[in-house]
Every structure is written in structure tokens, then in C-alpha cells.
């Protein structure tokens, strides 16, 4: 099936208008070569703070800085032309106050050229969403399983499994929608809750371990390409095996070097032609 792709970069208002008309396809990217390959197929690319774990092999997302996120985001923006690019606000860069959030979001946007920011948080962060949106910064909220709250949650666990917890997450999503968020990521929550939030909100929901009913889906790209090792989350699906492609190419390269079939003189400079 061919999907109509706009010639210009997808905008935040366009993403909002997709609700109820077409699903939003989204993935993460942190570096230019991957972003370049994703661009033609996706509506939105998230420069996620999951790069801490996926790209830097750290145990959680807590230690990545706004400067590092901005550098990754700038590379992804430079490498793409069509998808809407959103950057994650890293832990500690927005929770202190709306003013702190604005300063960090504005400098990450200025340094990278992204179209908006994502922040994790419940109702307590809704004022921050409002503060940013009123000052020209589009916000994608993230509720449910929030990796930056790993220590509060006691691990990366599905959320909203009791009635009380589900009510709280529903209220979190509504609070950010009322505060002007352009969308909300629903991560690792019970399926009926994700379905209910999607039905109740006027803004798109982007699911990751949530529900097929969400207005869009997002996954970590390395998980769908087989680049995350043997363990992938229950909610992900491996759509390809890039690991095998890389292993085969690197194996062929190493073998050519050892058997001296690479490089040849064709790969060298200033080669003297034979008389
Ligand atoms: O950091 C991230 O990659 C994310 C998602 C996958 C939603 O927040």
C-alpha cells in the first residue's frame, strides 16, 4: 500500500490532525545514518533519552545531559527532511520549575532545530507543559511507565494495573491535554486504559506497550532491527535482522584484510602506473 507523503517536514499541527484519520508511525533515532533511513517512512522521529541505554550502554536514562541530547537531535534534524523531529527532555532538565524547563527546552531547540520536546510526568508537570506551550514550545507528554521514574517505580514495570493507578494515569493524560500538549505517549500501561485515554482525549496518543487503538505507535528502532541483543521488550517486535547484515559485512571485511584481498591499489592514492 502506498502512503501519501508530504514534500515538506510534517508539522506538529499536522500530527494533531492525523487523529482519527490515519495512524502516526514513529520510531526513535539518535544518529544521522539511522535517521536518514527512517525519514521516508515515518511521520515522527523521537530523539529519545533511551539513547542513554541503547547507545551508551547505561543502566537507565538518568545521566544523559541536555547538551548530549541536543547534539544527537541536531544530527537527526540534519539527516532528515520529512519526519517531524521531537527531542526528549532529559532527567533533571525540567522537573525543577517551568522556567528551568523553558530555558533547557529553548536551548535544545535552538541548538538542534527540532519541532518540539517530550517530557515525562504526571499532573504535577502539567503546569510546565502549559508554560512551554504558551511560550511557543510544542510538548509531547509521556505518562504511564516513565523510565525517568525507574527508582520510584522500583524497575521498568507496566503501570496502571489497579483501578487507582489507572485513574491516576487517566488524570495525568487529561491534565497534559488540557495544558496544551500536542500528543501524549502512553508507555507500558494496561490495554483497556490506553484505549479509554485514546477515546477520551482530543489529541493523539502514541502507544508503546499500550494498545492497537492508540492513534500512533512508537518503538525503539534498535529493537525492531535486531540490534538490541537477545532480549527485546514484550511490546516490541523484530521486523528485520540488521545485526546479521552487520556481522556478515564485518566478517567479510576482516577476512579480506587477513587474506590481503583488501585493500587493493584501487583504494590507494598516488599509485604509480606500471611502465
Ligand atoms: O526515550 C525513548 O526512546 C522514549 C520512547 C520510546 C517513547 O521515550
Amino acid at each position: 500500500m502506498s502512503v501519501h507523503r508530504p514534500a515538506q517536514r510534517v508539522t506538529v499541527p499536522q500530527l494533531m490532525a492525523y487523529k482519527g484519520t490515519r495512524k502516526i508511525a514513529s520510531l526513535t533515532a539518535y544518529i544521522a545514518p539511522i535517521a536518514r533511513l527512517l525519514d521516508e517512512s515515518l511521520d515522527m522521529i523521537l530523539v529519545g533519552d533511551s539513547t542513554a541505554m541503547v547507545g551508551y550502554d547505561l543502566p537507565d536514562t538518568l545521566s544523559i545531559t541536555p547538551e548530549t541530547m541536543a547534539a544527537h537531535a541536531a544530527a537527526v534534524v540534519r539527516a532528515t527532511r520529512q519526519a517531524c523531529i521531537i527531542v526528549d527532555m532529559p532527567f533533571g532538565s525540567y522537573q525543577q520549575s517551568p522556567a528551568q524547563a523553558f530555558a533547557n527546552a529553548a536551548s535544545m531547540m535552538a541548538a538542534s532545530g527540532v519541532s518540539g520536546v517530550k517530557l515525562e510526568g504526571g499532573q504535577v508537570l502539567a503546569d510546565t507543559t502549559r508554560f512551554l506551550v504558551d511560550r511557543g514550545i510544542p510538548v509531547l507528554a509521556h505518562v504511564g511507565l516513565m523510565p525517568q521514574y525507574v527508582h520510584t517505580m522500583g524497575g521498568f514495570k507496566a503501570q496502571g494495573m489497579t483501578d487507582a493507578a489507572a485513574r491516576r494515569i487517566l488524570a495525568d493524560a487529561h491534565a497534559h491535554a488540557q495544558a496544551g500538549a500536542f500528543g501524549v505517549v502512553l508507555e507500558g500501561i494496561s490495554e483497556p486504559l490506553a484505549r479509554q485515554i485514546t477515546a477520551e482525549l482530543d489529541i493523539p496518543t502514541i502507544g508503546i506497550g499500550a494498545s492497537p487503538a492508540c492513534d500512533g505507535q512508537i518503538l525503539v528502532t534498535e529493537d525492531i532491527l535486531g540490534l538490541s541483543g537477545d532480549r527485546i521488550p514484550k511490546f516490541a517486535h523484530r521486523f528485520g535482522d540488521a545485526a546479521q547484515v552487520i556481522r556478515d559485512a564485518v566478517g567479510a571485511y576482516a577476512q579480506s584484510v587477513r587474506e590481503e584481498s583488501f585493500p587493493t591499489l584501487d583504494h590507494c592514492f598516488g599509485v604509480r602506473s606500471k611502465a
Side-chain angles (χ1 to χ4, degrees):
M1 188 183 72
S2 87
V3 176
H4 170 71
R5 303 264 342 142
Q8 303 293 316
R9 202 180 274 287
V10 175
T11 64
V12 165
Q14 278 171 328
L15 288 178
M16 297 178 80
Y18 289 163
K19 183 165 178 111
T21 63
R22 52 173 276 187
K23 296 278 188 180
I24 296 170
S26 177
L27 286 169
T28 57
Y30 322 118
I31 56 172
I34 298 285
R36 201 171 287 125
L37 294 172
L38 303 187
D39 191 35
E40 67 183 52
S41 302
L42 299 180
D43 304 303
M44 185 180 89
I45 295 176
L46 173 71
V47 185
D49 62 355
S50 52
T51 191
M53 300 171 76
V54 177
Y56 291 86
D57 223 6
L58 291 162
D60 54 48
T61 59
L62 304 188
S63 52
I64 201 101
T65 64
E67 292 73 25
T68 302
M69 291 304 300
H72 283 289
V76 169
V77 169
R78 281 194 296 272
T80 56
R81 298 169 62 84
Q82 298 197 70
C84 182
I85 313 296
I86 302 297
V87 68
D88 250 334
M89 298 210 63
F91 180 68
S93 71
Y94 61 98
Q95 291 92 343
Q96 193 178 347
S97 67
Q100 182 215 21
F102 181 82
N104 282 315
S107 77
M108 285 201 296
M109 285 182 79
S112 64
V114 297
S115 303
V117 300
K118 174 165 85 57
L119 56 83
E120 298 177 12
Q123 295 163 72
V124 73
L125 266 300
D127 284 351
T128 299
T129 291
R130 165 62 62 203
F131 194 88
L132 298 185
V133 173
D134 284 350
R135 287 158 182 77
I137 299 184
V139 173
L140 178 62
H142 180 154
V143 304
L145 194 175
M146 299 178 285
Q148 292 181 16
Y149 293 68
V150 59
H151 296 300
T152 315
M153 294 182 304
F156 299 105
K157 298 173 180 165
Q159 302 293 306
M161 298 301 160
T162 65
D163 287 350
R167 275 197 300 276
R168 187 171 38 74
I169 294 169
L170 179 65
D172 292 344
H174 273 286
H176 284 283
Q178 277 158 20
F182 73 83
V184 57
V185 170
L186 305 178
E187 177 165 358
I189 61 173
S190 77
E191 197 280 332
L193 173 61
R195 196 172 280 274
Q196 181 184 359
I197 295 173
T198 302
E200 289 187 11
L201 296 191
D202 291 335
I203 57 172
T205 59
I206 313 290
I208 170 165
S211 169
C214 288
D215 300 301
Q217 298 294 328
I218 186 164
L219 286 173
V220 167
T221 296
E222 284 72 4
D223 287 343
I224 73 159
L225 295 182
L227 293 174
S228 306
D230 293 336
R231 291 182 49 204
I232 63 165
K234 170 185 164 64
F235 52 73
H237 177 76
R238 195 164 284 174
F239 286 86
D241 193 355
Q244 197 52 46
V245 173
I246 293 173
R247 266 191 224 107
D248 289 348
V250 174
Y253 163 76
Q255 190 182 344
S256 314
V257 169
R258 291 186 187 116
E259 70 189 20
E260 300 181 31
S261 60
F262 178 88
T264 67
L265 292 182
D266 288 343
H267 302 104
C268 300
F269 302 100
V271 177
R272 299 219 171 95
S273 51
K274 285 185 204 133

